Every structure is written in C-alpha cells, then in structure tokens.
Amino acid sequence: MNGSKSVKLLLLMAVIAMVNVVLVSPGLLGFHIGGDSAFETASVVTVWVVSALLLFYGSYALLFKSPAVKPIKTIQTREDYINSLHHYRHVKVLKNDIDLALDQLERIEKKRSALLSVLGERFEPTELSYKKFMAVIDEVEKLFYLNIRGILNKLGAFTASDFTNMSNPQKSARLSSKVAQKKTELYQEYLAYVAGYLDANEEIMLKLDKLLLEISLLGSSDYRDVEDMPCMKEIDALIKQTKLYKQ
C-alpha cells in the first residue's frame, strides 16, 4: 500500500472513531444501547453497523481493489505511472516485470536527486555547464518515462484476465492447435516488447550512473567542454537514436 492510501485509510478510521465517540460520550450526545428510548438504541446500533460496513469497504477498496486503469494519453505524473502499473501487478505472468518497472521508477528518482546534488556542489545553476548537464538529464529522463509508457501501451492491448487466460494451458487446449499457436506467439511478442523496454531503462540508468561518476571526477579530468565527456557523448547518441527511431 502506498503512502496516499495509508493516509486515506487512517483518515477514514479517524472519522469513524470520532463519530462513534460523539455518539456515545456522556458529555456529548450520550446515546447508548438500552437508554431512555428505543430511538437511542436504534441510533447506536445503526451507527455501529454503518461504521463497520464503511470500515470494511474502505479497507477493501484501499488495500485490495485494483486501481482503475487510467487512459494512457492522460498519464502525466509519476504517481499516474505507478498506479497504472499496479493494475497488472497481481497477474502472475507479469509480476516480475511489473515489480522491476516499479523498482525502476523508484531508482530513477534517486539517481536524479544524486545527480542534482553533485551538480549543485560543483556548479552554479546559472553556469553553462550546469545547464548542459540538466538538459541532458531531463532529456534522458523523458526517454525513461517514454519506455514506461511503451510498456503500458503494450499491456493496454489486453486486460489482466487476457494475460492470465493466455498463459493457462487448459484454456488454450480448447482451441485448435493453429489458433492456440498464433495466440501464444502474439502473447510472447507482447512480453518481449515489455522486456525490451525494461532493458532499455536499465541501460539508461547505467548511463546515469556513469555520468554521476564522471561528474564527480571532473576535478581530475581535463575536458574543454562537458559535451566532450564520454558518457555525455553516449547519452547524446542514445537520445538522437531514439528520436530518429520515433520518426
């Protein structure tokens, strides 16, 4: 359960507890079962039943219910990507890939923070070198999220149950061997695309690690321009290659 869901669940529990305290506290409403009127008893029982139902449903919705799939074109924030990936996390055949994608989302944030910290120690934000580094970091981060979007686009061609059904030999056995083979090949092709996007993101983060090392060694290396740094050249080539491929 992520942080926002934890907060929502705690708020729900706090509201339910507060309502019940107000209802039965002697200094407030002071209602109790077997009180002066049937209305009091009915009110207490009703509130308790409603409270139990709200707590049960709220816990289920926050802890177990899969988040609604957001249209790919509307995904903007890191939280949007995380929520969209979580929709497929409980599909057995996708679990390892989705866990890796979520882990990559966490690591890319840490790498960006580390790079910004090192850059802040070595350069002023107004310096040209700082701006060049930031431009490259921003651009390669866009590639990273483009790959995550690619994963979601491929997974979005199927529902979570589709992946489960395609990996179920018993259900495939009901089809003719020719159709079953074609479905399996298509299924494997989609999974291969997902694996390819994950590999591409691992390469991106490896290059960011190299860039972090090269920035930390700037004092002992002599480059006329930051664009001459080996890793900067590698990242620039990766960016240009991706843009060419997308055209």
Side-chain angles (χ1 to χ4, degrees):
M1 183 171 60
N2 57 37
S4 63
K5 288 187 176 181
S6 299
V7 172
K8 289 178 181 177
L9 183 56
L10 288 173
L11 285 174
L12 175 62
M13 295 170 66
V15 170
I16 291 174
M18 189 179 301
V19 169
N20 281 272
V21 167
V22 170
L23 182 70
V24 301
S25 293
L28 298 171
L29 294 180
F31 284 13
H32 61 278
I33 294 177
D36 296 334
S37 69
F39 174 75
E40 284 192 23
T41 299
S43 297
V44 173
V45 172
T46 300
V47 171
W48 284 355
V49 170
V50 172
S51 296
L53 291 174
L54 283 174
L55 185 58
F56 174 79
Y57 179 78
S59 299
Y60 165 75
L62 292 171
L63 297 175
F64 303 108
K65 190 176 181 180
S66 298
V69 182
K70 195 170 186 177
I72 305 297
K73 63 181 180 180
T74 66
I75 293 178
Q76 298 293 333
T77 67
R78 179 172 174 270
E79 191 70 20
D80 289 339
Y81 283 102
I82 292 173
N83 289 335
S84 296
L85 287 170
H86 267 285
H87 179 72
Y88 300 95
R89 194 173 190 180
H90 297 296
V91 180
K92 185 176 180 181
V93 72
L94 297 175
K95 186 178 186 308
N96 290 338
D97 287 338
I98 299 303
D99 283 347
L100 177 56
L102 291 168
D103 179 63
Q104 288 179 342
L105 282 166
E106 183 177 348
R107 283 186 284 144
I108 194 72
E109 284 294 302
K110 292 180 179 178
K111 291 184 189 302
R112 180 181 176 86
S113 296
L115 283 164
L116 293 181
S117 176
V118 172
L119 285 176
E121 292 175 359
R122 293 187 171 272
F123 305 99
E124 292 296 327
T126 55
E127 290 185 62
L128 182 60
S129 293
Y130 182 94
K131 293 179 180 178
K132 286 182 178 180
F133 278 123
M134 283 304 305
V136 168
I137 293 170
D138 288 341
E139 198 68 23
V140 80
E141 189 177 36
K142 289 179 184 177
L143 295 185
F144 174 91
Y145 280 99
L146 192 63
N147 287 332
I148 297 293
R149 185 177 288 267
I151 291 173
L152 292 172
N153 273 320
K154 291 297 179 289
L155 297 182
F158 302 92
T159 64
S161 60
D162 286 334
F163 281 102
T164 302
N165 292 339
M166 283 189 287
S167 62
N168 189 331
Q170 292 181 343
K171 294 191 176 182
S172 297
R174 300 173 187 171
L175 305 173
S176 68
S177 58
K178 184 177 180 180
V179 173
Q181 181 180 353
K182 287 184 177 180
K183 286 178 70 70
T184 300
E185 289 174 354
L186 180 62
Y187 163 72
Q188 293 295 340
E189 186 176 351
Y190 271 86
L191 292 183
Y193 272 112
V194 171
Y197 285 124
L198 291 171
D199 286 346
N201 275 351
E202 286 298 328
E203 183 180 357
I204 283 174
M205 286 189 285
L206 179 61
K207 291 187 183 302
L208 290 178
D209 283 336
K210 289 182 179 179
L211 180 61
L212 182 62
L213 177 61
E214 288 187 6
I215 293 174
S216 66
L217 295 175
L218 276 176
S220 58
S221 302
D222 182 22
Y223 296 111
R224 297 183 202 176
D225 192 282
V226 297
E227 293 172 351
D228 294 330
M229 297 169 64
C231 192
M232 287 287 279
K233 290 182 178 180
E234 290 181 19
I235 292 176
D236 185 59
L238 177 64
I239 293 170
K240 289 178 179 177
Q241 177 185 355
T242 304
K243 286 183 176 179
L244 182 63
Y245 174 75
K246 292 298 177 184
Q247 293 174 354

